[in-house]
Amino acid sequence: MAAEERDPYAYPREWEADVVLSDGGTVHLRPIVPSDADALVAFHGKLSERTRYFRYFGAYPRIPPRDLVRFSTVDHHDRVAFVAMLGDDIIAVGRYERLDGGPSAEVAFVVDDAHQGRGLGSILLEHLAAAASERGLRRFTAEVLAENAAMVRVFRDAGYQVSRAIEEGVLHLEFDIDPTEESLAVARSREQAAEARSVHNLLHPRSVAVIGASADPTKVGHVAFANMLAADFTGTVYPVNPEHRSVRGVRAYSSVLDIPDSVDLAIVAVPAEAVESVLDGALAKGVKTLLIVSGGFAEAGPLGLHAELRLVGEARAHGMRVVGPNALGVLNTAASVRLNATLAPRLPARGRTGFFCQSGALGTAILADAEARGLGLSTFVSAGNRADVSGNDLLQYWETDPDTDLVLLYLESFGNPRKFARLARRLARTKPIVAVKSGRHAVRPQLAATSAEVDEASVQALFEQAGVVRVESLAQLFDTALVFAHQPLPAGPRVGIVGNSSAIGLLAADTARSQGLKLAFDPVDVGPQAGPEEFAAAVREALNSPDTDALVVVFVPPLAIPGTAYARALREAVVEMARDKPIVSTFLAAEGVPAELAVLSDDGTPTRGSVPSYPSPERAVNALARVIRYAAWRQRPQGTLVRPGGLHVEQAQAIVRELLDAEDGKTTLLSDTDVVRLLGCYGIEVVPFRVVSTVDEAVAAAAELGYPVTLKAVDERLRGRPDLAGVRLDLTSEDSVRTAYEGLCEVSGDDEVYVQRMAAKGISCVIGLQDDPSFGTLVSFGLSGLVSTLLGDRAYRAIPVTDVDAATLLREPRTAPLLTGYRGDEPADLAALQDMVLRVAALAEDNPEVRSLALDPILASPAGAFVANARLVLGPPPTRPDTGPRRLRAITPTD
């Protein structure tokens, strides 16, 4: 369709986005349409003379009618423009125009003076580049006045390779817009800083309005306001209640608009039907973050969901983030903040653990459990329905928060699993993440609009690849957190066991062995008659041993001497030794950190060096085992994203387009010939074969391919039925080929048969690609066979895959030892298999149209890895929630 015939209102809806700016505020980005003309005039009228001069290279005081039509009417193809909207106002415009119908376009931006310095130029450039790539453009050019330092910086710092030329004070810039490692790193870094800033605004407010604050102790608004006061918040709290002049002796305001000062955070504790009117006032007031503890939204049904999505969309469009609805609230225990914006009665003890929880109902119990076990918190967020602010936002914040060393997550669902994988993998390299993932087999219906359904294998693969410590329950979460919070990471898996009961020591040893840990020595039993000093001396000796990486101390109180004396002796020995070896204990049947084993901070809370205690040796060892596995993951090289040699990406993409065009873009299973063509572009060779339909053709094909050969039925269902003898192997003569051909035709009722050169004998393996609706493409590996299939013995990794990912993928299935010389067999060529995994991963990354792939079987032997059969399905590329330019998770019901 010609450009002038395109509907100027018909732009791709996926180009719309809510985006977080560098100061933590939000804007709504969308393509321009003709009805924006008046807003565009108003926007232009607010620009300073200097800004207009920089953009138009002249005074340009007003937009002439002809230019206004051109600026506001584009074809969304060769001419594209995005507007950044704050409410109903345009605050920035970016556009490109294709040059002479070629692959290049000229790009330009202009930002309202009041909003310059918020990162809008960089965001517009990202979104324009993504749109241009969709439209077949490959290069941007820009003309910028040399003194326009801010705009020059936007292009210079974007991570592209920019060429520059200057003539008469005008810089001519050119750069390819295909994403580079540097441009992606720049975008991710800016995303992290912006989203972390938005959470910082939430957790460090200088002023808080409690909308719905009540004098009635039975009302939620009373609880929220009372908790703010009881925590001794260091900022200012404003109760909002139109029916009372004061609440608990504090002057109340009829509306948030009546508050004389700015409001950073508004806690909304009014009935659901009143929240929308509250939002209007908060938007007009310029509140940065809305915390909605009110229920009655998505969890109440379709009408509530619709109201929730409308509310969040309106808030984001006006620059505001939302926590909730149906949230328990947020906490910050920092002495400089002391924020208890929750319905929980007390501010927890100060610690260095951040906690994110979706469930408001569980939030109070979680806080009480943390207090009972002696686990202090830095920050806590219970996001309820998680309509906007989510666990991913908190991961961004905790990555650079100097007050948080450990992250705990209670997750009921994923909003954007791909982003979670990316963020968690980066954060876990410096700070442990322990997560409970509940609802393994389904997403609750009320969360379906803002959650992605994932299967168990995907979740497990995600957590393992990202280094997230997964636990099954809140009890295990706290068991593990106590070790991370109070003890150092171990250097290895060798565990020493010291105690005064041989029975309990052996129980601890058995648990350690079952967890794959190594015993540094036989459990040491000092005997029930040993005194505190003798007990402590055994602990010192074990810690001093070079064979010990971690220590389990098991203790049964003797009858004669109080157990507290032993606990104090243990604590003093540990403090005195100050060794970088974690210690867990079973002491006094205590759960948590008993006072006798605590090392206290200045404010009297347990801190580093405290020894956690567990009611049973099994729980103590299991918690320690999780920490040891995490430490081993962190010690492993991160790996690098490797692109094997000999890839022909453009040729492969041309084949994909050709095949999809032939099927009108429909999902299709490729023919064997087309599979061979596409795989060949990535250096993946299928053992040569021919399809024949007569016995003479079979004999000729066998001679051409070279003996020995194998014959297979074309019907794959038959090939998967050994009882029907769908495969004839190791044929070495013309007579054997004739006999095999006739036998296959008789069984299958089909004359068509595969004749294939016999690959070197080896162990049958499978490398596959599957399209997960939330994580994107997963690469899998396992051994072929009915037993492996029934047991689900497959390992998975999310794309992209590093060399370390590929190597560990091959060793993860339980049957993997068969590849490494089990019972004295010669090992298979693992390097060849690893290279094949990387090639398959590259194929998936370059061609999102590949919806599934199975290389089955691959015969792995000392001579290499040989693909005997392959199936490949192409289809329209899926929309990914974490690809392309920066954006917040979409909030539409079809997300």
Side-chain angles (χ1 to χ4, degrees), residues 656 660 665-670 678 768-774 776-779 843-845 847-854 871-880:
V656 168
L660 279 179
K666 297 176 182 177
T667 300
T668 181
L669 173 66
L670 298 193
L678 186 53
L769 292 172
Q770 65 186 64
D771 183 54
D772 187 281
S774 49
T777 304
L778 297 177
V779 59
L843 169 69
E845 196 171 2
N847 303 277
E849 298 88 352
V850 175
R851 305 306 295 271
S852 69
L853 168 68
R871 286 173 52 92
L872 195 152
V873 175
L874 288 182
T879 300
R880 298 296 185 213

Side-chain angles (χ1 to χ4, degrees), residues 505-526:
L506 288 173
L507 188 56
D510 287 343
T511 306
R513 291 189 188 97
S514 71
Q515 288 290 341
L517 305 180
K518 298 178 181 178
L519 293 182
F521 41 75
D522 291 335
V524 174
D525 178 14
V526 298

